[in-house]
Amino acid sequence: MSLRDLPPVARSMAAASAAVTAALAADPDELRTAAADLAAFDPSLTGPLLGDVLRMLLEESHPDGLDADDLRSVLETTTKAALAWLPEADPEVLLVILAGALGVHPEEADGIARPPARAVALHAPLLIAGLLPVTRRGLEFYLEAAFREMARSQTMEAP
């Protein structure tokens, strides 16, 4: 069975894993390639997947809760690290993704444009890669947990 034979959710999880692995390795060419693959999936599938993984990582890395200083630190650390090897990293896109993972959508209230799928696919793995090393579990755990959460929420929404 090849990757193409897998259902879209499994393929999107594999693409997300490849993008985060490239971000962890600080490999701009691999990240760009993986992000292009990831962006090819339906954003209503990949957005929640990446957002749930990011939210879980934020919650686990800040067990006493998140405050503005914590979020600023995550944003600054990720931005500095990414700009060292990925010149197109955009702090505003990182901020919108970070806020969105927490259920805050600044573009709705402040007129900020929602980042296109390609930008989300490039930037969300940067945030995930920045948080993953401080947790005690591997990426697969978070991808599987996010998938279970998506499946549960879709089951609850079904008539």
Side-chain angles (χ1 to χ4, degrees):
M1 177 180 273
S2 74
L3 191 58
R4 294 179 197 268
D5 296 326
L6 295 173
V9 171
R11 288 195 323 266
S12 69
M13 289 174 68
S17 180
V20 172
T21 299
L24 285 165
D27 185 328
D29 294 331
E30 285 298 317
L31 178 57
R32 290 179 191 115
T33 299
D37 292 344
L38 188 56
F41 290 96
D42 181 350
S44 69
L45 175 68
T46 57
L49 176 69
L50 295 168
D52 284 348
V53 169
L54 183 53
R55 180 189 44 77
M56 286 184 271
L57 286 166
L58 286 164
E59 289 172 352
E60 188 165 322
S61 62
H62 298 86
D64 295 329
L66 286 160
D67 63 21
D69 289 337
D70 295 326
L71 295 174
R72 187 176 302 109
S73 176
V74 168
L75 183 61
E76 288 176 0
T77 302
T78 302
T79 300
K80 284 180 185 178
L83 285 173
W85 60 273
L86 188 70
E88 66 267 34
D90 184 338
E92 187 172 300
V93 173
L94 290 168
L95 173 62
V96 171
I97 292 170
L98 186 59
L102 297 171
V104 177
H105 301 283
E107 70 274 6
E108 294 171 0
D110 301 328
I112 297 172
R114 183 177 293 257
R118 175 90 164 110
V120 171
L122 185 71
H123 289 78
L126 297 171
L127 288 160
I128 292 168
L131 291 166
L132 196 58
V134 300
T135 63
R136 57 185 191 274
R137 297 183 177 110
L139 177 62
E140 297 77 23
F141 171 85
Y142 297 101
L143 286 170
E144 290 171 9
F147 173 72
R148 284 191 302 273
E149 178 61 26
M150 289 171 56
R152 185 190 65 74
S153 68
Q154 288 178 355
T155 301
M156 292 180 73
E157 291 174 6

